[in-house]
Structures are given as structure tokens and as C-alpha cells.
Amino acid sequence: MDHLPPTRLDALYDDPVFLRAILDASADLIALLAVDGSILLANQHAAAMLGFEEPEEILGMNVLAFVPPEYQRQAEQDMHETLQTRGKRYFEYPVLRRDGDMIYAAISTSILETSPGRGPYFLILARDISRQKLLEKANQALL
């Protein structure tokens, strides 16, 4: 199997078309957030999951806008703890879509450190687990 030399691979990483292709190939939400929660980068699935047509529509929005009010304090605390520990964390949260519908998401988050003077950032990967939650409720009802 052919491998790209490191210098050619570095050039690919710097290519925004390459980065966008990887982001949009994912079936999961992928987003990069500033430490205040504002969305800096998002893939196509992030937009769709949140009820938007294009990722650019959610850029600059705060991720907490998609958290139901009764969960916002917990979400803020989880963000703070993730930032303080610099660890990878996993959460399940209800998420408000643009149309007001609520879905459930499994969210994996970590802190992305970049070059000095830039970042840190939250790297977010999320998957819609609404069907799983419905099945869990149905199974609970049967017991």
C-alpha cells in the first residue's frame, strides 16, 4: 500500500477542501467550539441534526442555545469541568432543534490544544440517540 510522505500529508491537512470532505463524510455531528461555547466549525450533519440546511447557519451561535433551559446549568458545569480537567468526557443530553423538536444526543467532548496563542477549543462529536431512548422507555414500561 502506498503511503504519502509526511510533507505531502501535512499539505493535505492544510487544505480546507480536504478538511471539509472529512467532516462532511461523517454520519455524526462534528463541531469545534470556542471556550465560551460559540460554534466555530461544524459539519453538514451538525446542521441537519440541529434543523438547519447549511453548517454556516450555526457558526457563531452558542451551543447552549440548543440545550433545554432546565439542562443549561448542568451543561455549563460539564463544559467548565471538561475545560479544567482537559480530559475526554461523555454525556447524554436532550437537544433542541431549530423547529423546537427535542432529540437526545450522545456527546463526546475533548479539549483541542493548538499552537501557542490559539485555543483551547472544545472538540464535539455527537450522535442522535433518540430512537435508543424511546426503546429504553418502552422496555422500562414493559417491566
Side-chain angles (χ1 to χ4, degrees), residues 90-102:
Y90 176 84
F91 310 101
E92 290 184 3
Y93 270 104
V95 174
L96 289 173
R97 292 173 39 88
R98 180 185 200 179
D99 61 8
D101 284 349
M102 191 166 62

Side-chain angles (χ1 to χ4, degrees), residues 8 11 39 42 45 48 58 69 72 86 99 109 111 115 117 125 129 132 138-139:
R8 298 253 338 259
I39 301 169
H45 195 73
I58 61 174
Q72 289 206 0
R86 297 293 206 261
D99 61 8
T109 184
I111 297 297
S115 58
L125 304 172
I129 58 167
Q132 177 183 332
N139 283 339

Side-chain angles (χ1 to χ4, degrees), residues 70-124:
E70 62 271 24
Y71 291 91
Q72 289 206 0
R73 176 172 274 164
Q74 183 63 50
E76 288 171 354
Q77 182 178 346
D78 288 338
M79 289 174 69
H80 177 75
E81 288 176 13
T82 301
L83 187 59
Q84 294 304 309
T85 63
R86 297 293 206 261
K88 294 180 181 171
R89 313 248 342 251
Y90 176 84
F91 310 101
E92 290 184 3
Y93 270 104
V95 174
L96 289 173
R97 292 173 39 88
R98 180 185 200 179
D99 61 8
D101 284 349
M102 191 166 62
I103 61 170
Y104 286 88
I107 303 166
S108 177
T109 184
S110 60
I111 297 297
L112 178 63
E113 302 281 355
T114 59
S115 58
R118 297 181 63 197
Y121 304 101
F122 289 103
L123 178 60
I124 307 294

Side-chain angles (χ1 to χ4, degrees), residues 5 17-18 28 35 37 55 75 93 98 100 108 112 116 138 142:
V17 173
F18 177 73
D28 293 332
V35 293
Y93 270 104
R98 180 185 200 179
S108 177
L112 178 63
L142 293 175

Side-chain angles (χ1 to χ4, degrees), residues 2-16 18-19 22:
D2 292 334
H3 296 285
L4 289 174
T7 53
R8 298 253 338 259
L9 196 54
D10 288 343
L12 274 177
Y13 292 148
D14 291 336
D15 182 351
F18 177 73
L19 175 61
I22 290 173

